[in-house]
Amino acid sequence: QVQLVESGGGLVQAGGSLRLSCAASGFTFSSYTMRWLRQAPGKQRELVAAITSGHITNYADFVKGRFTISRDNAKNTVYLQMNSLKPEDTAVYYCNVLYYELRWGRGTQVTVSS
């Protein structure tokens, strides 16, 4: 079955960096667009970045220039490099894929202290 497992979250000071990973299995990873989303306490889940099977990327305005999404099809993994982190980036970060239906991981917590 489809599995998405996020990792790499943690506590970091403002201005710091983290690299999130999402390991995928159960589908032909290289053929699908992968997305990172986040949900802060009391807020709706929002799209952070996406990368197509052809490595075309798209970013939310609030992360442009700070975050980079990438994928390694040999490892069935999508990454989110997060630099210049801000306290408002604090959230649970999820990866997802539309494989017949939306599939989600359990998320990884990112906390940015001021």
Side-chain angles (χ1 to χ4, degrees), residues 29-100:
F29 176 81
S30 60
S31 299
Y32 289 85
T33 294
M34 299 297 298
R35 299 171 185 84
W36 283 100
L37 297 92
R38 70 186 187 185
Q39 188 166 21
K43 294 189 176 181
Q44 290 190 329
R45 203 169 290 190
E46 58 186 358
L47 179 67
V48 174
I51 184 166
T52 70
S53 58
H55 294 254
I56 296 172
T57 59
N58 186 41
Y59 296 93
D61 286 344
F62 54 78
V63 302
K64 281 182 180 177
R66 301 190 297 126
F67 291 10
T68 303
I69 189 171
S70 62
R71 65 192 299 160
D72 185 337
N73 290 337
K75 295 183 178 180
N76 286 359
T77 300
V78 60
Y79 303 97
L80 186 67
Q81 177 67 44
M82 306 187 296
N83 298 329
S84 302
L85 283 161
K86 305 175 181 179
E88 51 264 44
D89 294 318
T90 295
V92 179
Y93 284 72
Y94 301 88
C95 64
N96 84 0
V97 62
L98 180 58
Y99 179 73
Y100 293 101

